[in-house]
Amino acid sequence: MRLSFLLLATLLLLTFSLQSESENTNEIKQLHDQQCSGCHINITDGDGAVIYTRSTRMANSIEQLESLVKHFADGSDAQWNQAQIKQVTNYLNQTYYGFIEKK
Ligand code: HEC
């Protein structure tokens, strides 16, 4: 009885933490898509994401990627804070670039 309760509680906790993690990723993706994708879609004439997968990329390390994110966030009046810049950098890195993340 006690064991099954513990099991259930653990399962519930796990489900909730997984859920909030994916919600968080969605939020970051939304933030990026709202502020950044429009212009990228315009200049690439369709799939804006190809800006991140060109054979000659501007970002060749996680540091360069982060400073590009900061540059565009500043330039587009997005007014992102440091945490948002980091989150979008990590999101782009995990989705497109695959650099080793610094701690
Ligand atoms: C007004 C248009 C515009 C907006 C808004 C914009 N970008 Fe860009 N972005 C560009 C252009 C143009 C390039 C390609 C520059 C080049 O190749 O010389 C680019 C390239 C990039 C790159 C480099 C890709 C590579 O080659 O590795 C990153 C990273 C990037 N943008 C991030 C962002 C982020 C994050 C935002 C939102 C905060 C954003 N951009 C908003 C126009 C824009």
Side-chain angles (χ1 to χ4, degrees):
M1 184 62 190
R2 172 161 254 169
L3 190 68
S4 61
F5 174 75
L6 268 178
L7 236 140
L8 189 70
T10 315
L11 269 175
L12 274 176
L13 260 176
L14 248 162
T15 322
F16 276 123
S17 62
L18 284 178
Q19 205 176 12
S20 68
E21 193 167 300
S22 74
E23 267 167 25
N24 200 17
T25 312
N26 272 345
E27 251 171 54
I28 295 163
K29 183 180 184 309
Q30 254 177 27
L31 188 69
H32 167 271
D33 290 357
Q34 275 167 12
Q35 310 268 4
C36 317
S37 292
C39 183
H40 291 163
I41 287 169
N42 270 343
I43 55 174
T44 57
D45 222 10
D47 180 9
V50 301
I51 201 90
Y52 302 126
T53 55
R54 300 176 295 176
S55 53
T56 339
R57 299 190 301 200
M58 295 171 78
N60 294 303
S61 68
I62 186 99
E63 288 81 8
Q64 285 176 359
L65 182 59
E66 183 172 336
S67 67
L68 280 161
V69 171
K70 187 174 172 0
H71 164 86
F72 282 105
D74 289 349
S76 64
D77 282 336
Q79 294 194 315
W80 289 353
N81 58 34
Q82 191 56 36
Q84 289 170 311
I85 288 169
K86 272 239 145 52
Q87 285 168 337
V88 171
T89 302
N90 289 338
Y91 159 72
L92 290 179
N93 189 38
Q94 278 156 19
T95 315
Y96 304 107
Y97 288 88
F99 302 128
I100 312 272
E101 274 176 49
K102 53 183 178 179
K103 292 280 171 273

